[in-house]
Amino acid sequence: MDVSLLSPATLLGGCVLGIYIGVILYGFMVAQATMYFSTFSQDPICLKMTVAFLCLLETIFTVCTIHWLYHLTIIGFGDIAFEMKVPWSPLVSMTTEILMAFLVQSLNLGRLWALSKHNVYLATPIAVLIICRFGTTMTNIVLMIQLRDIAKFEQVTLIQATVTAGAYITVVSDLLTMGGLIYFLRRGRTGFNTRTDGAVRWIIQYIVNTGGLTMVVSIAFAVTFTILRDSLTFWGLWSIMGRLYANSFLGTLNCRQILRRRTGYAVHSTDHMPSKTETILFASMSEYQSGRSISLVRNNR
């Protein structure tokens, strides 16, 4: 890459726009986290700690992306060669993003594990893909620490391969998880309770919408990294990907309130085993993480 031929608009336009969108998504995440802690105060402490840890990672990620933006547009303004240098902030943001993605993907796999009644043949390939994605990203971070110059990326075959492979591994693992959740949710519909079946359909739509958006951004990231060699647009898309994972996870937790209004059910922890339909409905909404059985009782309010 000949940095002398690049213009700031070509190099930074997509990246800056992506960072702006990412900051907006961070605001949505803060709103969702506030809603969660105020609405579901009775949730297990382990689930609350998971949400708090996710918020901490998101905050660190946002601070680092803002520093990266300041580095590009203020400190290195007009100096293309300087803007191509990699400071500490992108390295930290990549680390926090992969931790967020690994956490949310693992929790989604846990839902699928519960819904599929511990189907090893389905869960194992997805688990391997999640671990591979974590490994490829950590490899990228190590290579970036060694290079510290984006202009040299195209000279290193390994970093080209690991970045592209990591993005498509994300797409495949998310697609398998989403497909598995949809399959077992559809199979769990009874056909007798219209409100419960309607809630299941609503969950399926939510999974398709959030999972599909994440996969589209992952594909766009891989394509822009491969094709747009004279642009940092892929960095902007990277800053969006982690926020989508966090927002989808928190949205899944918060939409339990909507499901309760739709079905007229309240969720309580009890000592007896729930029915098949109840397990299928609320296991997908992360209730299984309490480590206790869940039952549904008619909401009399």
Side-chain angles (χ1 to χ4, degrees):
M1 181 187 298
D2 188 354
V3 297
S4 62
L5 301 178
L6 298 178
S7 67
T10 301
L11 179 67
L12 304 179
C15 177
V16 172
L17 182 60
I19 291 175
Y20 286 161
I21 295 174
V23 173
I24 294 172
L25 291 175
Y26 173 73
F28 291 156
M29 189 278 301
V30 172
Q32 289 209 72
T34 303
M35 180 185 301
Y36 168 77
F37 284 113
S38 61
T39 305
F40 299 100
S41 58
Q42 301 302 316
D43 270 2
I45 185 65
C46 61
L47 187 54
K48 293 180 182 178
M49 291 179 64
T50 301
V51 174
F53 181 63
L54 194 63
C55 292
L56 175 62
L57 291 176
E58 273 283 0
T59 301
I60 296 173
F61 185 88
T62 301
V63 170
C64 290
T65 54
I66 291 175
H67 176 271
W68 176 229
L69 179 64
Y70 186 84
H71 172 88
L72 293 173
T73 58
I74 304 299
I75 299 177
F77 180 74
D79 187 347
I80 300 298
F82 180 82
E83 290 171 342
M84 298 297 284
K85 301 298 182 182
V86 180
W88 60 268
S89 50
L91 302 174
V92 177
S93 66
M94 286 183 66
T95 304
T96 55
E97 191 279 338
I98 188 55
L99 289 174
M100 285 188 292
F102 184 81
L103 177 62
V104 175
Q105 286 178 321
S106 298
L107 291 170
N108 289 337
L109 179 58
R111 295 194 188 110
L112 181 59
W113 176 258
L115 286 175
S116 64
K117 295 184 178 180
H118 305 171
N119 189 321
V120 176
Y121 300 104
L122 177 61
T124 300
I126 299 175
V128 171
L129 289 173
I130 293 174
I131 294 172
C132 288
R133 199 258 179 169
F134 182 85
T136 56
T137 304
M138 295 306 298
T139 302
N140 295 335
I141 294 173
V142 172
L143 292 173
M144 287 179 61
I145 292 174
Q146 296 173 348
L147 295 175
R148 300 304 291 264
D149 192 337
I150 299 175
K152 297 179 181 178
F153 282 9
E154 63 183 21
Q155 302 172 12
V156 182
T157 305
L158 180 59
I159 198 169
Q160 297 283 331
T162 53
V163 170
T164 306
Y168 287 117
I169 287 173
T170 300
V171 172
V172 174
S173 63
D174 288 348
L175 182 62
L176 290 176
T177 304
M178 182 177 68
L181 288 172
I182 292 172
Y183 171 76
F184 287 107
L185 284 169
R186 288 179 62 88
R187 198 176 71 170
R189 290 185 299 181
T190 63
F192 300 105
N193 190 324
T194 55
R195 288 206 285 184
T196 300
D197 289 350
V200 171
R201 286 193 295 271
W202 189 89
I203 296 172
I204 292 174
Q205 292 174 1
Y206 180 85
I207 291 173
V208 171
N209 291 335
T210 56
L213 181 60
T214 304
M215 287 189 290
V216 168
V217 174
S218 297
I219 294 173
F221 168 80
V223 171
T224 54
F225 180 82
T226 304
I227 297 177
L228 302 180
R229 298 295 181 85
D230 58 348
S231 173
L232 296 180
T233 301
F234 65 92
W235 276 106
L237 292 170
W238 179 274
S239 70
I240 295 174
M241 286 170 58
R243 273 58 176 269
L244 291 177
Y245 277 116
N247 275 284
S248 66
F249 174 68
L250 288 171
T252 300
L253 296 179
N254 288 328
C255 75
R256 289 176 293 174
Q257 192 71 14
I258 299 175
L259 289 176
R260 291 169 185 177
R261 289 197 297 267
R262 284 173 173 263
T263 61
Y265 287 115
V267 179
H268 301 284
S269 298
T270 64
D271 295 328
H272 65 273
M273 289 298 294
S275 68
K276 179 180 178 181
T277 303
E278 294 164 354
T279 301
I280 288 173
L281 178 58
F282 283 96
S284 66
M285 308 319 297
S286 301
E287 298 286 8
Y288 70 91
Q289 296 183 51
S290 65
R292 296 171 290 180
S293 61
I294 302 298
S295 70
L296 307 180
V297 296
R298 179 65 62 181
N299 190 345
N300 295 319
R301 290 180 297 173

PDB file of all heavy atoms in Angstrom, residues 189-197:
ATOM      1  N   ARG A 189     -43.379 -25.813  19.692  1.00  0.00           N
ATOM      2  CA  ARG A 189     -44.717 -25.228  19.717  1.00  0.00           C
ATOM      3  C   ARG A 189     -45.769 -26.322  19.884  1.00  0.00           C
ATOM      4  O   ARG A 189     -45.692 -27.366  19.243  1.00  0.00           O
ATOM      5  CB  ARG A 189     -44.975 -24.439  18.432  1.00  0.00           C
ATOM      6  CG  ARG A 189     -44.156 -23.164  18.332  1.00  0.00           C
ATOM      7  CD  ARG A 189     -44.524 -22.365  17.113  1.00  0.00           C
ATOM      8  NE  ARG A 189     -44.275 -23.099  15.885  1.00  0.00           N
ATOM      9  CZ  ARG A 189     -44.496 -22.607  14.664  1.00  0.00           C
ATOM     10  NH1 ARG A 189     -44.979 -21.392  14.538  1.00  0.00           N
ATOM     11  NH2 ARG A 189     -44.244 -23.338  13.601  1.00  0.00           N
ATOM     12  N   THR A 190     -46.755 -26.034  20.707  1.00  0.00           N
ATOM     13  CA  THR A 190     -47.770 -27.049  21.005  1.00  0.00           C
ATOM     14  C   THR A 190     -48.926 -27.027  20.014  1.00  0.00           C
ATOM     15  O   THR A 190     -49.521 -28.060  19.735  1.00  0.00           O
ATOM     16  CB  THR A 190     -48.333 -26.835  22.421  1.00  0.00           C
ATOM     17  OG1 THR A 190     -48.984 -25.559  22.476  1.00  0.00           O
ATOM     18  CG2 THR A 190     -47.204 -26.861  23.453  1.00  0.00           C
ATOM     19  N   GLY A 191     -49.281 -25.846  19.537  1.00  0.00           N
ATOM     20  CA  GLY A 191     -50.441 -25.735  18.665  1.00  0.00           C
ATOM     21  C   GLY A 191     -51.740 -25.599  19.419  1.00  0.00           C
ATOM     22  O   GLY A 191     -52.793 -25.365  18.814  1.00  0.00           O
ATOM     23  N   PHE A 192     -51.683 -25.702  20.744  1.00  0.00           N
ATOM     24  CA  PHE A 192     -52.889 -25.614  21.554  1.00  0.00           C
ATOM     25  C   PHE A 192     -53.008 -24.264  22.265  1.00  0.00           C
ATOM     26  O   PHE A 192     -54.101 -23.749  22.452  1.00  0.00           O
ATOM     27  CB  PHE A 192     -52.922 -26.739  22.597  1.00  0.00           C
ATOM     28  CG  PHE A 192     -52.899 -28.114  21.994  1.00  0.00           C
ATOM     29  CD1 PHE A 192     -51.762 -28.884  22.020  1.00  0.00           C
ATOM     30  CD2 PHE A 192     -54.032 -28.624  21.366  1.00  0.00           C
ATOM     31  CE1 PHE A 192     -51.735 -30.150  21.459  1.00  0.00           C
ATOM     32  CE2 PHE A 192     -54.025 -29.881  20.794  1.00  0.00           C
ATOM     33  CZ  PHE A 192     -52.867 -30.652  20.837  1.00  0.00           C
ATOM     34  N   ASN A 193     -51.905 -23.702  22.677  1.00  0.00           N
ATOM     35  CA  ASN A 193     -51.910 -22.431  23.382  1.00  0.00           C
ATOM     36  C   ASN A 193     -51.449 -21.349  22.417  1.00  0.00           C
ATOM     37  O   ASN A 193     -50.273 -21.239  22.107  1.00  0.00           O
ATOM     38  CB  ASN A 193     -50.982 -22.494  24.607  1.00  0.00           C
ATOM     39  CG  ASN A 193     -51.132 -21.284  25.507  1.00  0.00           C
ATOM     40  OD1 ASN A 193     -51.337 -20.173  25.035  1.00  0.00           O
ATOM     41  ND2 ASN A 193     -51.028 -21.518  26.812  1.00  0.00           N
ATOM     42  N   THR A 194     -52.389 -20.551  21.915  1.00  0.00           N
ATOM     43  CA  THR A 194     -52.059 -19.569  20.888  1.00  0.00           C
ATOM     44  C   THR A 194     -51.132 -18.477  21.418  1.00  0.00           C
ATOM     45  O   THR A 194     -50.281 -17.974  20.696  1.00  0.00           O
ATOM     46  CB  THR A 194     -53.335 -18.923  20.340  1.00  0.00           C
ATOM     47  OG1 THR A 194     -54.090 -18.360  21.428  1.00  0.00           O
ATOM     48  CG2 THR A 194     -54.194 -19.951  19.620  1.00  0.00           C
ATOM     49  N   ARG A 195     -51.301 -18.108  22.691  1.00  0.00           N
ATOM     50  CA  ARG A 195     -50.452 -17.045  23.234  1.00  0.00           C
ATOM     51  C   ARG A 195     -49.020 -17.513  23.424  1.00  0.00           C
ATOM     52  O   ARG A 195     -48.074 -16.787  23.135  1.00  0.00           O
ATOM     53  CB  ARG A 195     -51.036 -16.533  24.558  1.00  0.00           C
ATOM     54  CG  ARG A 195     -52.296 -15.698  24.353  1.00  0.00           C
ATOM     55  CD  ARG A 195     -52.487 -14.726  25.477  1.00  0.00           C
ATOM     56  NE  ARG A 195     -52.958 -15.410  26.691  1.00  0.00           N
ATOM     57  CZ  ARG A 195     -53.278 -14.771  27.800  1.00  0.00           C
ATOM     58  NH1 ARG A 195     -53.155 -13.463  27.873  1.00  0.00           N
ATOM     59  NH2 ARG A 195     -53.714 -15.431  28.854  1.00  0.00           N
ATOM     60  N   THR A 196     -48.855 -18.750  23.900  1.00  0.00           N
ATOM     61  CA  THR A 196     -47.498 -19.288  24.053  1.00  0.00           C
ATOM     62  C   THR A 196     -46.848 -19.474  22.685  1.00  0.00           C
ATOM     63  O   THR A 196     -45.686 -19.123  22.492  1.00  0.00           O
ATOM     64  CB  THR A 196     -47.531 -20.629  24.797  1.00  0.00           C
ATOM     65  OG1 THR A 196     -48.102 -20.427  26.092  1.00  0.00           O
ATOM     66  CG2 THR A 196     -46.137 -21.186  24.957  1.00  0.00           C
ATOM     67  N   ASP A 197     -47.583 -20.027  21.733  1.00  0.00           N
ATOM     68  CA  ASP A 197     -47.044 -20.214  20.395  1.00  0.00           C
ATOM     69  C   ASP A 197     -46.720 -18.872  19.737  1.00  0.00           C
ATOM     70  O   ASP A 197     -45.731 -18.746  19.008  1.00  0.00           O
ATOM     71  CB  ASP A 197     -48.028 -20.989  19.523  1.00  0.00           C
ATOM     72  CG  ASP A 197     -48.115 -22.456  19.938  1.00  0.00           C
ATOM     73  OD1 ASP A 197     -47.284 -22.877  20.761  1.00  0.00           O
ATOM     74  OD2 ASP A 197     -49.009 -23.164  19.444  1.00  0.00           O
TER      75      ASP A 197
END
